[in-house]
Amino acid sequence: MGSGSRHQEAPPSPASWRRRRTAVGNFHSWTVEEGLLERRPYHRRRNGRDVLA
């Protein structure tokens, strides 16, 4: 079975979600630092949720 959410019977655990979110955040930080992106493609709301820009 694939690792994408489309094929999972249950959503990832909170710990798994945080690890994935951290990996994506680190990737976007790297792309900004390297000049590949001007800014991250999302921002964090006051409530802590990420929103795609």
Side-chain angles (χ1 to χ4, degrees):
M1 200 176 279
S3 62
S5 62
R6 181 188 290 175
H7 302 288
Q8 290 178 333
E9 292 184 21
S13 70
S16 293
W17 177 249
R18 283 189 296 274
R19 283 192 301 273
R20 292 175 186 182
R21 184 173 169 224
T22 298
V24 170
N26 289 340
F27 172 75
H28 284 123
S29 293
W30 173 79
T31 61
V32 172
E33 290 169 9
E34 293 295 317
L36 301 170
L37 292 176
E38 286 186 27
R39 60 185 176 83
R40 290 174 169 218
Y42 63 90
H43 64 277
R44 187 164 295 166
R45 290 184 176 173
R46 290 182 187 177
N47 66 7
R49 291 184 176 222
D50 297 332
V51 179
L52 290 176

